[in-house]
Amino acid sequence: MPWKRIKLPIKPGRFLVQGDEAVADGAFCAGMRFYAGYPITPASEVITRVQERFEESGEGVYFQGEDEIASIAACIGASWTGVKAMTATSGPGFDLMVENLGYAIFTETPLVIVDVQRAGPSTGQAARPSQGDYHQVRYATHGDYEIIVLTPWSCQELFEFGIRAFNLAERYRVPVIILTDEAVGHLREPVVYPEEIDVFDREHDPDAPPFSFDERDAGPMPLIGDGKALLITGSTHTEAGKRVTQDPEIHRKIVKHLIGKIQHNVSDIFESHEEFIEDAEIVIASYGISARSGFEAVKRLREKGLKVGFFRFKVIWPLWEKYVRERLSGIKKIFVPEMNAGHLSRELERLVNGEVISISELGTNIITPETIVKEVEARL
C-alpha cells in the first residue's frame, strides 16, 4: 500500500529548532534522500541541515548546483529514478527555476520546492521578510495547470509540512511548494518530533505507461532503471510518452488531466485553521507570519466584545473556492493582513459578498497585532 506508518528516522522529542531546519528535518523524515540546491538567503540553512542529516544517517545524496536551474533539473532527474527529491530557494532563485518547474508539471514529476520569501522584486532585501511570491508560485510558468502550495505559520508546521508536501507530491505526481518567509524560516521555537509518522510512497508500476489522461487520478509511475525505455518530454505526448505536437485532442486531454487530478481532490488537499467563525460578524483572514499577528488581533478584539472570527489558509493553492465561499458567506467585513500589495485580498474579493479590506505592508516589516486592531476599529 502507498500509505505506511514508520518510526521517525531522527530522535523524537521536543527541541528548539529554527524554521529552515525544521522543514529540512520534516522532508528527511518523509524519505527525502536527494537534495540539490544553490545557497541563497534566507533559505541557506535548509541546505546545511539537509547535509547534516545525510551525513549522520549515511543516507542521501547532496548536490550543490552551479545555479538554481541546474538544481531543480537534478531534482527532476532524481525523482524519475524513484528518489524523493527537494530543493530550497528564495524569490530570485525561484525565478530561475520556473522553466524547469513547467517541465516538472507537464511530466508529472513529484518533487518539493521550499520558497523562503524575501523582499523583492529582483535582489531586493535578502534578509527581510515578504509575502510577495503569493501569485508567483501559482502562475509562474505558462499554460494551464494546477499546483499545490502550503503556507506554514510556525516551525512546528514547517516540520509537519515537510512531511505533508512529499505525501501530496507523491500521491498527485506534482511539484509541491512550501511557501514560507524569512520571519518564519529564521524563527526559533519549540518543535515536537513524534515517535511515528504516516508517509505516502508513489504507486510504482514498471509495466505502466509513464502518463495518464485520467481526470481524477495521477496514475502509477514507472521509473528509469526498470529496464524499459521511457520517453519523458516537455512536448505534448501520448500516454506512452510519444511526442505529438499537432494533435489538439491529446493536448486537451493532458491539460484536463493536470487540472482535474488536483481539482477533483481539492477537499483532500485544502486545509484551513478557523476560530470563532460561527458567531463572527467580521473576520481576519490571512496566512503565514501575518496570520500569527492576525490571530493575536482577533483575541484582543474579542476581549473588547467584538464578534471577530479567524480564518487561516494553510494551503493557498489550490484554493477550495466552494468551501471558502460557504464559510465566509454572511460576513460583513473581511480584513486581510499580508506583506504584499493585497494578493490574497484580490482572491477573496471575487469569492465573497462581504467587503474585503486589505491591510498591506510593503516595507519589509511584519504586520503587528496593534496595527491590525487599529485598522479594524477604524473601519467599523
Side-chain angles (χ1 to χ4, degrees):
M1 294 292 291
W3 280 107
K4 61 183 180 182
R5 190 158 187 81
I6 65 168
K7 290 186 177 180
L8 209 68
I10 61 177
K11 184 179 180 180
R14 187 171 185 267
F15 305 97
L16 187 63
V17 183
Q18 189 193 58
D20 281 357
E21 297 169 349
V23 74
D25 285 349
F28 180 80
C29 292
M32 182 266 296
R33 293 296 182 269
F34 182 84
Y35 182 94
Y38 185 81
I40 184 170
T41 303
S44 295
E45 291 86 351
V46 179
I47 304 172
T48 304
R49 187 66 153 203
V50 168
Q51 189 175 16
E52 292 172 355
R53 291 301 184 193
F54 283 178
E55 288 180 356
E56 69 186 21
S57 67
E59 299 177 359
V61 173
Y62 168 84
F63 167 66
Q64 180 176 321
E66 62 267 37
D67 55 30
E68 289 84 353
I69 301 171
S71 298
I72 189 173
C75 288
I76 293 169
S79 183
W80 272 95
T81 69
V83 182
K84 294 181 180 179
M86 184 175 86
T87 185
T89 189
S90 189
F94 194 91
D95 292 345
L96 296 175
M97 293 183 178
V98 167
E99 182 179 3
N100 277 327
L101 175 64
Y103 177 78
I105 291 168
F106 206 56
T107 57
E108 302 185 65
T109 305
L111 61 90
V112 171
I113 303 170
V114 181
D115 179 359
V116 189
Q117 296 170 96
R118 70 191 213 186
S122 190
T123 308
Q125 295 188 21
R128 297 296 300 173
S130 169
Q131 294 178 313
D133 298 359
Y134 181 98
H135 280 118
Q136 186 199 25
V137 294
R138 170 63 183 88
Y139 296 110
T141 190
H142 65 285
D144 286 303
Y145 59 92
E146 289 286 349
I147 200 165
I148 299 174
V149 181
L150 314 180
T151 51
W153 76 339
S154 67
C155 297
Q156 182 70 48
E157 279 194 351
L158 272 167
F159 170 75
E160 294 169 356
F161 285 8
I163 300 167
R164 186 164 192 246
F166 273 101
N167 289 344
L168 292 168
E170 294 284 306
R171 186 169 185 178
Y172 296 109
R173 286 187 59 180
V174 66
V176 174
I177 297 167
I178 300 174
L179 185 66
T180 185
D181 60 74
E182 187 277 338
V184 182
H186 282 169
L187 184 68
R188 282 194 182 274
E189 58 185 356
V191 176
V192 175
Y193 291 172
E195 298 277 348
E196 297 179 329
I197 59 172
D198 293 318
V199 298
F200 187 96
D201 290 332
R202 75 188 66 169
E203 187 179 354
H204 172 219
D205 184 349
D207 298 319
F211 304 106
S212 167
F213 292 163
D214 190 309
E215 293 183 22
R216 294 181 177 272
D217 185 64
M221 188 171 173
L223 301 174
I224 294 172
D226 282 340
K228 296 184 178 179
L230 287 180
L231 297 173
I232 308 166
T233 174
S235 296
T236 300
H237 46 262
T238 66
E239 290 169 294
K242 182 181 178 182
R243 187 169 178 264
V244 179
T245 61
Q246 297 293 329
D247 190 320
E249 184 57 29
I250 286 182
H251 194 83
R252 185 179 298 112
K253 287 181 178 179
I254 293 176
V255 174
K256 291 178 74 173
H257 167 69
L258 296 178
I259 295 172
K261 68 178 181 179
I262 303 299
Q263 281 295 338
H264 284 298
N265 294 288
V266 67
S267 61
D268 173 63
I269 299 168
F270 184 81
E271 191 175 0
S272 61
H273 168 197
E274 303 168 28
E275 304 272 358
F276 316 119
I277 293 292
E278 303 308 327
D279 72 342
E281 295 177 350
I282 62 177
V283 161
I284 294 175
S286 191
Y287 57 95
I289 188 67
S290 296
R292 291 177 75 130
S293 296
F295 189 48
E296 176 62 26
V298 167
K299 290 188 288 186
R300 294 182 187 182
L301 289 164
R302 290 191 73 90
E303 288 175 355
K304 296 182 178 184
L306 298 175
K307 293 182 178 180
V308 184
F310 177 69
F311 193 105
R312 177 168 67 96
F313 292 82
K314 300 171 76 171
V315 175
I316 55 170
W317 305 111
L319 185 59
W320 191 4
E321 297 186 0
K322 179 175 182 292
Y323 178 81
V324 173
R325 189 178 291 115
E326 289 176 353
R327 294 296 290 164
L328 298 181
S329 66
I331 303 297
K332 298 176 182 176
K333 295 178 186 290
I334 300 172
F335 293 84
V336 187
E338 52 185 331
M339 298 172 63
N340 54 44
H343 298 188
L344 174 60
S345 298
R346 296 173 202 167
E347 295 300 321
L348 292 180
E349 283 174 351
R350 66 182 180 83
L351 293 179
V352 301
N353 295 323
E355 182 183 6
V356 177
I357 302 168
S358 173
I359 303 176
S360 175
E361 167 56 44
L362 300 176
T364 76
N365 291 316
I366 296 172
I367 302 174
T368 65
E370 290 78 11
T371 298
I372 299 170
V373 169
K374 185 178 180 181
E375 185 70 21
V376 171
E377 291 180 329
R379 301 294 293 267
L380 291 178

